[in-house]
Amino acid sequence: MQKDRMAGETVAYWILSSLVVLAAAVSTAHGDWVSDSWIHLGAIHEMSRDFWSPVEPLVGEDVPFPYFSPWTAVGALGVRLFSVTPFQVLAVFAVVSPLVLVHSLHRLVRAVSPAPWAPVAVLAALLTVWGTRAFFWSGFLSLNTLVVGSSWPSVLATAFWFYLWAAVWTSTRMTRGLIATLLVVPGVLLLFHPFTFLSAATACAITVLLRWPRQRWLSGAVPSLISVGLAALWPWMSLGDLLDNPRGFDGFHVFFYDDVMAKFGLLLLTIPAIVLRLGRQRTDPLGWSVLAGVGIWAAGGVLHVESLGRVIPLASTAAAVALGVAAAEALQPADAGSTGTARPRGASAARIVVVLAWVVAVAVGSMTQSNAWSRITVDDAARRNPDDGTHLISPYPVVTDLWASIPSGSVVVARDPRVARQLPASGLFSVAPQWPSPGVTDTPRRVDDEAAILSAKTSPELREELLTRYDVGWIVWPDAKKTPTWLAELGVPLDSVAGQTLYDVR
């Protein structure tokens, strides 16, 4: 009877997981590539062009680039071996990565609790319990993020984190499998997504310190450190430079310190579950992972190292697992002793509070996933021209045909940042990098110079000097903005696509 119940609830988990993967697949099928998708497309394109000596794909400099990871290498090899496009490779990642993610989450939850409904409850909490303001960001696995960025390496990196966390949670001895996991996964995680590596390393270290006997700590640390050391030998990116200069990303990450309650306020509803777990076991790794994540985030704000805000998924993930597991265990029959998760007697009020907290958090959180619901609609007109405020980000203008007459490796300046972000995917460069790129050390000057090129206040002599300095051959100007006099005199309009006009300024 108990096995039948477990089987039924496992089926329920995979039905829910399939719907999540289907949502990601539908969004991908629309071809509405936005945001970080373009930097990954650019990295794959450049590595497929010259696998052994790729240049930085944003500005074309011969400097290290943090996105030339093993994930990008696999994508580039896929392009070369199967004669497909980077877009097609990313579409495959968009379906495979969430499949691996939901499998890894099931492994993690089963390591924490055998309660039959725990995986379903945790998956729902993980995707929805954030805040009342919708947002998406790489590594922050809300449903909003997943339908936009299921193809991003952060999704696969998070899956590796969950596999690693489950392995150290359930380990009773140093088996060959665990040693192999510790030798491979930490280094791959670091190369795939350094911010997710920070969350994973912290969670796993806490788990080892609290669950493993002290005499085994060193045996777990040695293969992990070897894995990280081997990652430093990866030839396509300078891991040392990236870790030495994480503050190059701080400007973007101020986001995580503004309007905090609106973005993460629903996580307060996980507090009863965390208190319950720490009350039962003071050495609970989930509770301490939440505290560590909040502490690191707070330290980032105090020290003005805002990149530490990227460790919020450590706290949010541990909190979601704690809430989902506590809710599932609270709903267990009082005689469920065979599962080891029978409800503790005398704790009716705590059980009711935990279940209500889960229901309210998931219900309210689901309503904030507006970006997800709008992006999977089959109504193309409604999706591309939203008028109800549900889109966090509208689909980018499709301007691929605009580049047909431009040789690969050319430098293009685009007035619309959505157009500028698409340049690397076609092997075209910009004056200023569209994303943080630590190897481009003169980024501030490049940003100022690109702004000067596009400014009506710039003298013709200075603009000509800047166009020559950066070898700019083309400028893209949006039709919605009046063509400035300097561009009409300097450039020759070649083509107009999706409300964007290409000018030859050579």
Side-chain angles (χ1 to χ4, degrees):
M1 180 71 177
Q2 184 63 34
K3 289 184 177 179
D4 291 342
R5 187 186 304 129
M6 288 284 287
E9 284 137 3
T10 298
V11 170
Y13 176 80
W14 288 109
I15 291 175
L16 179 60
S17 297
S18 298
L19 292 176
V20 172
V21 176
L22 179 62
V26 169
S27 178
T28 301
H30 288 323
D32 298 332
W33 302 106
V34 295
S35 190
D36 286 359
S37 299
W38 292 100
I39 193 171
H40 299 305
L41 286 165
I44 292 173
H45 180 282
E46 177 58 26
M47 228 177 167
S48 66
R49 183 194 67 81
D50 188 341
F51 187 81
W52 297 108
S53 301
V55 298
E56 197 271 2
L58 306 183
V59 300
E61 295 291 321
D62 188 14
V63 296
F65 187 59
Y67 293 86
F68 287 148
S69 68
W71 180 92
T72 305
V74 170
L77 289 174
V79 170
R80 295 175 66 134
L81 292 176
F82 299 104
S83 299
V84 294
T85 68
F87 294 92
Q88 291 169 315
V89 168
L90 218 60
V92 172
F93 282 146
V95 176
V96 172
S97 296
L99 277 172
V100 179
L101 176 70
V102 294
H103 182 265
S104 69
L105 180 64
H106 191 272
R107 289 278 293 271
L108 174 60
V109 176
R110 278 287 160 255
V112 175
S113 172
W117 282 103
V120 174
V122 169
L123 178 59
L126 182 69
L127 294 179
T128 61
V129 181
W130 292 88
T132 55
R133 173 185 167 185
F135 75 95
F136 69 89
W137 204 284
S138 173
F140 289 66
L141 289 182
S142 64
L143 192 59
N144 278 330
T145 298
L146 206 57
V147 297
V148 172
S150 62
S151 60
W152 299 348
S154 59
V155 177
L156 207 53
T158 302
F160 288 162
W161 166 20
F162 292 169
Y163 283 130
L164 184 63
W165 202 2
V168 299
W169 191 295
T170 59
S171 169
T172 56
R173 58 192 180 89
M174 291 298 293
T175 63
R176 291 180 179 177
L178 179 59
I179 293 173
T181 298
L182 294 175
L183 282 171
V184 174
V185 175
V188 171
L189 240 175
L190 179 57
L191 292 170
F192 268 35
H193 204 252
F195 292 118
T196 298
F197 169 82
L198 178 58
S199 294
T202 306
C204 292
I206 288 172
T207 304
V208 167
L209 293 174
L210 296 179
R211 290 179 62 87
W212 287 24
R214 187 171 300 178
Q215 60 270 24
R216 285 184 54 209
W217 289 355
L218 184 61
S219 62
V222 170
S224 300
L225 292 174
I226 291 174
S227 181
V228 171
L230 292 173
L233 302 177
W234 181 254
W236 285 274
M237 59 187 281
S238 177
L239 197 56
D241 289 346
L242 178 62
L243 297 179
D244 282 345
N245 185 31
R247 304 202 65 171
F249 296 87
D250 284 347
F252 283 77
H253 295 142
V254 172
F255 176 86
F256 299 117
Y257 295 89
D258 293 334
D259 205 12
V260 173
M261 286 301 298
K263 294 168 186 168
F264 306 110
L266 289 179
L267 290 170
L268 294 176
L269 292 172
T270 67
I271 290 177
I274 296 165
V275 171
L276 185 64
R277 290 190 66 88
L278 287 173
R280 291 177 182 172
Q281 184 182 10
R282 292 183 179 179
T283 57
D284 174 54
L286 291 180
W288 284 102
S289 293
V290 172
L291 295 176
V294 173
I296 295 172
W297 167 81
V302 172
L303 300 173
H304 297 290
V305 184
E306 286 81 4
S307 291
L308 291 178
R310 291 295 292 269
V311 84
I312 289 175
L314 167 63
S316 63
T317 298
V321 174
L323 178 63
V325 166
E329 291 181 350
L331 293 172
Q332 283 290 95
D335 61 348
S338 61
T339 70
T341 60
R343 299 183 303 188
R345 298 183 182 280
S348 298
R351 293 197 303 270
I352 292 172
V353 168
V354 166
V355 173
L356 286 178
W358 181 89
V359 171
V360 172
V362 171
V364 176
S366 297
M367 291 187 288
T368 69
Q369 306 303 309
S370 55
N371 191 63
W373 312 134
S374 60
R375 285 185 62 82
I376 60 177
T377 179
V378 296
D379 187 342
D380 187 70
R383 193 180 70 256
R384 300 199 65 84
N385 300 287
D387 58 4
D388 57 1
T390 58
H391 277 55
L392 286 169
I393 184 169
S394 300
Y396 284 15
V398 181
V399 296
T400 307
D401 291 343
L402 210 58
W403 320 131
S405 60
I406 303 179
S408 180
S410 299
V411 180
V412 181
V413 172
R415 174 65 176 78
D416 188 335
R418 299 175 304 165
V419 176
R421 286 188 162 201
Q422 299 181 49
L423 295 172
S426 297
L428 302 174
F429 304 128
S430 187
V431 170
Q434 303 91 324
W435 288 267
S437 185
V440 184
T441 56
D442 62 342
T443 292
R445 188 187 73 172
R446 285 175 169 271
V447 171
D448 291 342
D449 288 347
E450 183 167 282
I453 290 173
L454 296 171
S455 173
K457 298 179 180 179
T458 302
S459 67
E461 295 77 17
L462 177 56
R463 181 178 290 108
E464 184 64 33
E465 177 189 336
L466 294 174
L467 292 175
T468 302
R469 178 190 302 170
Y470 295 104
D471 195 25
V472 178
W474 291 265
I475 291 178
V476 182
W477 196 267
D479 296 344
K481 294 183 178 295
K482 183 180 178 181
T483 304
T485 302
W486 65 263
L487 183 56
E489 295 175 349
L490 180 67
V492 177
L494 297 180
D495 195 6
S496 183
V497 174
Q500 305 286 330
T501 298
L502 177 67
Y503 291 84
D504 186 339
V505 295
R506 291 174 294 175

